[in-house]
Amino acid sequence: QVDSTSIAEEIELKSSFEYRDTSSKQTLIAPKLAAAFPLGANLEFEVGASYRRIERDDGRVSGLADSTLELKWRVSDDPKHGVAFAVVPELSLPTGSQRRGVGSGHYALVVPVVLEKDIGALMLTGQLGYGRSFGGEEEFMPLGLLITGKPRDALKIGLEIAGEAPRGRFSDC
């Protein structure tokens, strides 16, 4: 999921829904809930949890998924006159059931950089990072693009394309 460079000015509650469809399964993450806490003008701490439902040909499983801890540092904060930039390290905690398939069973650390540009009524956000799961010994590069519009102050609507590439170990390439 692509993050933004904005920092919460007060405690902020967030909710999102995510649907993934691959050749082997369909995954619905609903809801994904988070609470963001401002730590300074350019620093934010966020804790998140979600419920995951996975459908495969052989059946359906559901339950609480892994939880996340995130620290966002906004390095540059002027998207109207340039590009805003943030670093958003996230630690995934193995709180979901690996046996049931809704959790990973191990810790993961992702360190993405986020670039954001205001283009008229729309905000264009790009993200690229490095991730490592500890226990699964897997390295990955999360990447994504998000276009958002804000029809009202309390509502933001967006379209996101995100993925991970490549899978495996970079050192084996």
Side-chain angles (χ1 to χ4, degrees):
Q1 181 175 347
V2 177
D3 212 324
S4 75
T5 62
S6 64
I7 300 293
E9 295 177 7
E10 56 189 352
I11 295 175
E12 199 174 276
L13 299 177
K14 302 176 182 182
S15 176
S16 65
F17 298 86
E18 188 175 328
Y19 178 76
R20 299 177 188 167
D21 191 355
T22 65
S23 61
S24 63
K25 65 182 177 180
Q26 296 172 334
T27 304
L28 175 66
I29 301 171
K32 185 174 186 180
L33 302 173
F37 303 91
L39 300 178
N42 293 313
L43 197 60
E44 172 186 292
F45 173 73
E46 182 178 301
V47 59
S50 62
Y51 183 83
R52 181 173 291 199
R53 187 178 81 194
I54 300 172
E55 293 187 26
R56 295 185 178 100
D57 291 339
D58 61 348
R60 176 192 302 178
V61 295
S62 60
L64 292 175
D66 292 346
S67 301
T68 58
L69 301 175
E70 177 182 290
L71 188 65
K72 184 189 304 183
W73 174 40
R74 183 178 55 203
V75 180
S76 166
D77 64 353
D78 191 8
K80 291 195 183 291
H81 298 99
V83 175
F85 172 70
V87 179
V88 193
E90 178 182 282
L91 178 64
S92 178
L93 307 172
T95 55
S97 172
Q98 181 183 19
R99 180 184 57 78
R100 294 183 53 219
V102 294
S104 66
H106 48 266
Y107 293 90
L109 179 64
V110 180
V111 184
V113 294
V114 180
L115 298 172
E116 199 166 60
K117 174 74 174 157
D118 193 0
I119 303 172
L122 300 174
M123 181 70 72
L124 179 63
T125 307
Q127 178 172 298
L128 177 65
Y130 170 79
R132 168 95 180 170
S133 64
F134 301 95
E137 301 305 323
E138 184 177 273
E139 296 173 303
F140 54 95
M141 288 180 62
L143 49 99
L145 183 64
L146 173 66
I147 299 171
T148 56
K150 208 168 178 186
R152 298 179 187 218
D153 285 341
L155 178 65
K156 187 190 313 185
I157 298 174
L159 174 64
E160 176 182 44
I161 298 172
E164 294 175 356
R167 293 199 163 266
R169 295 195 57 147
F170 296 137
S171 59
D172 294 342
C173 296

